[in-house]
Amino acid sequence: MVKIAWVVLALLIGIAACVIFFGGTSGAAPEGAWGELTSGSPAAVAPTLLFNADFSKEQTTGWMSRPERRGPGTTLPDGRVIPYDGRSGGAFWFPPTKAKSATQRAVFAVPIPHCDWYLDGHARVKVTAGTARVAIEYVFQDGNGEAAATYIAWAGPPGTPPPAAPGALLEEMALSDGEWRRVPSRTTWDLKQKGLAMPRSPVFLEVRLRLDVEDGSAEAWFDDLDLRDMKAGR
């Protein structure tokens, strides 16, 4: 009987150790426990919800163009996927855009049931005249289609002012490889820690690729986007 008791005790200890060690995949992991997405991260089991997120295919299924012209005589060429100029292949590209004042946007809308997500994306901009900046926006919408929370990661040449976006959380993109810049906060938990009030019952999340041009000309590239459900790994 004593021997059986020791065997049972050993089994219980083993089960407890497994629960502690693997608890992150069974609901025990705290929100925001993973910043970098690695092969061992629970969120890694979930696929990205963005179509063609690495732009390896010359398709823009699901992406909607929403240009904004703020001056006469402005022509905004459509953004498109090109099989080169990416970080390791293709990229989404806004061709050279010349404008007094304009914003290029490509938008992908995803229905969401909560605010626990992994975000990522890279961008770069080439300014040939005037002022321009590039940005990746994440807009959480309520049941009325109104923006309930907005996060904007942006970049531009030294001295470029951030975009005017009252109420949004603005962060300058982090340096990445070469001329690429990267979204600096990569979980919605991080965003909440930085003061962004997420909606209790979100309905949609819009991911927006953006190029602003003021009194000049510029082009922009985007690559390696990501949007993963972090609850899927818990």
Side-chain angles (χ1 to χ4, degrees):
M1 292 295 293
V2 174
K3 184 176 182 181
I4 293 175
W6 277 107
V7 170
V8 172
L9 180 60
L11 286 173
L12 290 175
I13 293 173
I15 291 171
C18 287
V19 169
I20 293 172
F21 186 78
F22 295 106
T25 59
S26 59
E31 183 181 7
W34 308 278
E36 280 288 341
L37 189 66
T38 66
S39 60
S41 300
V45 304
T48 183
L49 299 183
L50 301 176
F51 173 77
N52 198 21
D54 61 357
F55 302 111
S56 58
K57 305 177 183 67
E58 292 185 55
Q59 300 175 31
T60 55
T61 304
W63 289 95
M64 300 171 288
S65 178
R66 290 187 190 167
E68 181 183 342
R69 300 169 177 84
R70 295 184 292 272
T74 299
T75 301
L76 303 182
D78 289 337
R80 64 181 185 271
V81 176
I82 53 176
Y84 53 89
D85 277 347
R87 297 177 66 237
S88 59
F92 186 91
W93 177 52
F94 284 128
T97 298
K98 185 176 182 180
K100 180 71 175 176
S101 180
T103 295
Q104 292 269 41
R105 280 194 187 93
V107 180
F108 196 100
V110 179
I112 57 172
H114 57 76
C115 286
D116 190 8
W117 301 89
Y118 175 87
L119 320 168
D120 204 357
H122 292 74
R124 63 186 178 95
V125 61
K126 179 180 179 181
V127 183
T128 53
T131 301
R133 72 181 69 83
V134 69
I136 300 178
E137 301 179 352
Y138 300 89
V139 182
F140 296 84
Q141 298 178 337
D142 60 21
N144 297 319
E146 299 293 330
T150 301
Y151 170 52
I152 302 176
W154 68 278
T160 302
L169 173 62
L170 297 171
E171 280 195 303
E172 191 167 2
M173 284 185 164
L175 293 174
S176 186
D177 45 320
E179 297 179 344
W180 291 92
R181 307 291 289 272
R182 187 179 187 184
V183 171
S185 293
R186 289 191 283 283
T187 68
T188 45
W189 185 86
D190 294 331
L191 302 184
K192 285 185 279 188
Q193 301 310 298
K194 293 178 179 179
L196 185 63
M198 294 289 185
R200 289 178 178 265
S201 301
V203 176
F204 280 96
L205 169 60
E206 287 192 349
V207 179
R208 302 175 179 178
L209 311 182
R210 170 175 168 176
L211 170 64
D212 296 334
V213 180
E214 303 288 340
D215 289 319
S217 178
E219 56 188 310
W221 298 261
F222 301 84
D223 199 5
D224 294 335
L225 308 178
D226 214 340
L227 176 65
R228 301 192 189 211
D229 185 349
M230 294 190 72
K231 283 186 179 293
R234 297 198 172 95

